[in-house]
């Protein structure tokens, strides 16, 4: 439902000029006696009634909501912005995801290298120990 | 409202406000007629109502409206499917009592209408001041003031009746797109053969588009009358002083 009184859309200078010339200056068409409302009648006068009367209303009572007015006027721009922002968001998300996977891969590689170095050190120390024992056996053979 | 109010500010002396009219017009609501009995009961019997049987001793139920009335004082409340109008006799020489009267009208008449009949779609608010006095007491009574040039060409006029209107913008309509509210002021000036002077000023605000229930709460009748007071104390008062010679006493 439109709500002009809740809308933040301002009157343009042309709108204001039109308002002055039609509503305030009274240049615009006046309602005929067939309409329900007498623009210039007294506060003390009531609208005449009869036994048979029209059920139609002469004024729209629905007012625009700020959201529907905004969407009507800027809908296309909003759609384009949403699509662009959505696309950018997707790309950024993908980049983050890729960056995270890259980081995990690097961490795994570093861990493998460390394990490999440790294994080599252990192997080397075992070889050194064996060589030491062989040297001792060679210098002092058992009788 | 029948008592003479404080005369600290004798805005309109030597004429006085002898009748006050409040009016609200709305989109035709047939449900008003369905609940009109309940609304009338509420207006007459609510706690501390200023519009009880002492003010309106009679009720007239017509096919298209209810009337609460006092034939002696000429107090009248009319409720139809499109209008609610309150006419009160007064003896005021300033507008200081208007705010209280508007508040009573809103609380004890419009509120039951809103609550029971679900009235919305407000098209117009209006307030009328009817002033009366004697031409002998005025510096410039209407015949002399408005027919001076004609009187040079003919014998003295015995009576005169003049009506003119003016329209004013509203702040909301000047700023918001698709809102075309405006104010309408109707002046009636008359002098009878007996020298009775009657001046009325009918200050109205039209709402285009009409007000929903929540919008009506934000643009209440007492708030409208507060704005009208500013007009009466300003432009109308100055016009009265210039036109018919009412002296404004500060």
């Amino acid at each position: 439902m439109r709500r002009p009184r809740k809308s933040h859309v301002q009157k343009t200078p042309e709108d204001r000029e039109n308002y002055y010339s039609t509503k305030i200056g009274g240049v615009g068409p006046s309602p005929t006696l067939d309409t329900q409302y007498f623009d210039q009648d007294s506060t003390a006068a009531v609208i005449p009634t009869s036994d048979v009367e029209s059920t139609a209303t002469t004024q729209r009572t629905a007012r625009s909501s700020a959201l529907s007015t905004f969407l009507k006027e800027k809908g296309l721009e909003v759609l384009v912005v949403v699509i662009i922002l959505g696309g950018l968001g997707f790309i950024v998300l993908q980049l983050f995801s890729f960056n995270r996977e890259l980081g995990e891969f690097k961490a795994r590689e570093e861990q493998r290298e460390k394990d490999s170095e440790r294994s080599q050190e252990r192997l080397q120390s075992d070889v050194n120990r064996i060589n030491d024992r062989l040297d001792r056996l060679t210098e002092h053979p058992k009788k | 409202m029948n008592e003479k109010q404080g005369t600290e500010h004798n805005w309109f002396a030597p004429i006085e406000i002898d009748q006050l009219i409040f009016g609200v017009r709305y989109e035709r609501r047939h449900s008003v007629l369905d609940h009109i009995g309940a609304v009338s009961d509420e207006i007459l019997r609510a706690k501390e109502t200023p519009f009880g049987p002492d003010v309106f001793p009679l009720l007239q139920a017509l096919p298209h409206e209810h009337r609460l009335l006092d034939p002696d004082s000429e107090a009248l409340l009319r409720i139809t499917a499109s209008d609610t109008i309150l006419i009160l006799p007064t003896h005021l020489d300033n507008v200081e009592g208007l705010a209280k009267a508007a508040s009573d009208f809103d609380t004890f008449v419009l509120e039951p209408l809103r609550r029971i009949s679900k009235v919305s779609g407000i098209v117009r608010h209006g307030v009328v001041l009817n002033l009366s006095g004697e031409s002998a007491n005025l510096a410039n009574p209407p015949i002399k003031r408005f027919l001076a040039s004609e009187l040079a060409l003919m014998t003295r006029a015995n009576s005169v009746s003049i009506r003119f209107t003016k329209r004013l913008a509203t702040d909301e309509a000047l700023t918001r797109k698709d809102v075309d509210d405006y104010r309408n002021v109707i002046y009636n000036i008359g002098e009878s053969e007996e020298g009775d002077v009657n001046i009325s000023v009918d200050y109205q605000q039209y709402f285009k588009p009409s007000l929903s229930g929540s919008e009506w709460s934000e643009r209440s009748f007492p708030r409208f009358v507060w704005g009208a007071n500013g007009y009466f104390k300003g432009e109308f008062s100055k016009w009265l002083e210039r036109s018919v010679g009412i002296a404004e006493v500060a």
Side-chain angles (χ1 to χ4, degrees):
Chain A
M1 217 165 33
R2 293 189 71 232
R3 287 215 171 124
R5 294 189 195 273
K6 298 288 184 197
S7 167
H8 297 297
V9 181
Q10 303 261 325
K11 266 191 163 78
T12 63
E14 290 76 26
D15 292 334
R16 219 167 279 142
E17 200 179 313
N18 185 52
Y19 166 72
Y20 267 112
S21 64
T22 57
K23 289 285 173 291
I24 307 304
V27 173
S30 323
T32 64
L33 287 178
D34 287 339
T35 65
Q36 286 190 316
Y37 302 111
F38 299 83
D39 254 359
Q40 301 291 329
D41 72 327
S42 163
T43 292
V46 299
I47 295 175
T49 53
S50 62
D51 288 338
V52 180
E53 58 191 47
S54 166
T55 55
T57 57
T58 57
Q59 277 204 97
R60 57 189 170 86
T61 55
R63 291 168 173 265
S64 54
S65 70
L67 180 65
S68 61
T69 305
F70 178 72
L71 286 175
K72 241 184 235 185
E73 290 167 6
K74 306 280 181 197
L76 189 60
E77 289 94 330
V78 167
L79 187 66
V80 169
V81 166
V82 164
I83 289 171
I84 289 173
L85 283 178
L88 284 173
F90 178 76
I91 291 168
V92 167
L93 205 65
Q94 289 300 308
L95 284 173
F96 268 118
S97 170
F98 179 69
N99 194 43
R100 186 162 48 86
E101 282 180 21
L102 194 63
E104 282 173 3
F105 177 75
K106 277 186 184 167
R108 276 200 298 270
E109 282 303 302
E110 279 168 15
Q111 187 64 35
R112 250 189 239 122
E113 275 180 27
K114 278 185 194 157
D115 290 344
S116 169
E117 277 176 20
R118 252 187 255 128
S119 301
Q120 280 196 358
E121 282 168 13
R122 245 183 280 143
L123 188 65
Q124 189 61 45
S125 91
D126 287 343
V127 164
N128 290 341
R129 200 169 56 246
I130 291 169
N131 282 337
D132 282 342
R133 285 186 90 176
L134 282 172
D135 288 341
R136 257 186 267 135
L137 280 171
T138 310
E139 283 173 12
H140 304 290
K142 277 189 182 170
K143 288 191 183 165
Chain B
M1 294 299 292
N2 282 331
E3 298 168 4
K4 201 165 180 78
Q5 299 293 312
T7 54
E8 183 181 344
H9 295 273
N10 297 323
W11 297 96
F12 306 125
I15 60 177
E16 65 172 12
I17 304 171
D18 63 1
Q19 192 180 62
L20 182 60
I21 302 175
F22 292 141
V24 176
R25 175 164 291 171
Y26 31 86
E27 292 266 338
R28 193 174 286 276
R29 284 282 186 276
H30 299 97
S31 61
V32 170
L33 300 177
D34 291 341
H35 301 114
I36 205 163
V39 171
S40 300
D41 281 342
E42 180 84 13
I43 292 168
L44 288 167
R45 318 268 176 235
K47 193 177 171 189
E48 295 177 358
T49 177
F51 306 119
D54 51 332
V55 175
F56 297 118
L58 300 179
L59 183 147
Q60 187 179 17
L62 299 170
H64 300 292
E65 69 178 273
H66 262 206
R67 293 183 185 187
L68 304 181
L69 63 151
D70 182 349
D72 296 329
S73 68
E74 297 183 343
L76 175 65
L77 175 63
R78 297 179 71 181
I79 302 174
T80 74
S82 57
D83 293 275
T84 294
I85 296 165
L86 174 66
I87 300 175
L88 288 174
T90 69
H91 291 288
L92 301 174
D93 50 19
N94 59 57
V95 293
E96 301 305 321
L98 238 61
K100 169 75 169 59
S103 175
D104 286 344
F105 179 60
D106 188 59
T107 304
F108 295 99
V109 178
L110 298 183
E111 169 53 27
L113 215 54
R114 265 191 291 265
R115 183 168 29 90
I116 298 172
S117 301
K118 308 283 186 268
V119 161
S120 64
I122 306 305
V123 173
R124 184 181 78 183
H125 282 160
V127 55
V128 184
L129 303 184
N130 281 328
L131 301 95
S132 63
E134 299 286 330
S135 59
N137 296 333
L138 299 174
N140 255 333
I143 290 176
K144 181 182 168 190
R145 167 69 176 82
F146 295 106
L147 299 182
S149 55
E150 282 70 28
L151 292 179
L153 303 171
M154 62 180 185
T155 55
R156 187 190 183 283
N158 292 351
S159 66
V160 68
S161 180
I162 295 170
R163 180 182 189 272
F164 66 90
T165 65
K166 60 187 295 182
R167 289 195 184 188
L168 305 165
T170 68
D171 291 342
E172 193 171 5
L174 282 173
T175 49
R176 284 195 202 278
K177 199 173 173 65
D178 294 335
V179 173
D180 289 325
D181 301 350
Y182 63 93
R183 292 174 290 163
N184 188 47
V185 192
I186 307 172
Y187 287 69
N188 279 290
I189 306 110
E191 184 178 343
S192 70
E193 292 190 10
E194 292 77 26
D196 297 325
V197 172
N198 289 291
I199 296 172
S200 81
V201 56
D202 185 351
Y203 182 94
Q204 307 169 323
Q205 181 165 355
Y206 283 84
F207 299 103
K208 290 180 189 290
S210 56
L211 301 178
S212 66
S214 59
E215 287 163 348
W216 193 17
S217 304
E218 294 163 10
R219 295 157 186 82
S220 66
F221 192 81
R223 184 176 156 189
F224 156 74
V225 170
W226 179 83
N229 250 353
Y231 182 85
F232 296 145
K233 287 181 184 176
E235 189 166 331
F236 175 67
S237 192
K238 286 188 185 115
W239 172 85
L240 209 57
E241 185 188 346
R242 277 199 318 270
S243 291
V244 295
I246 307 296
E248 183 185 333
V249 177

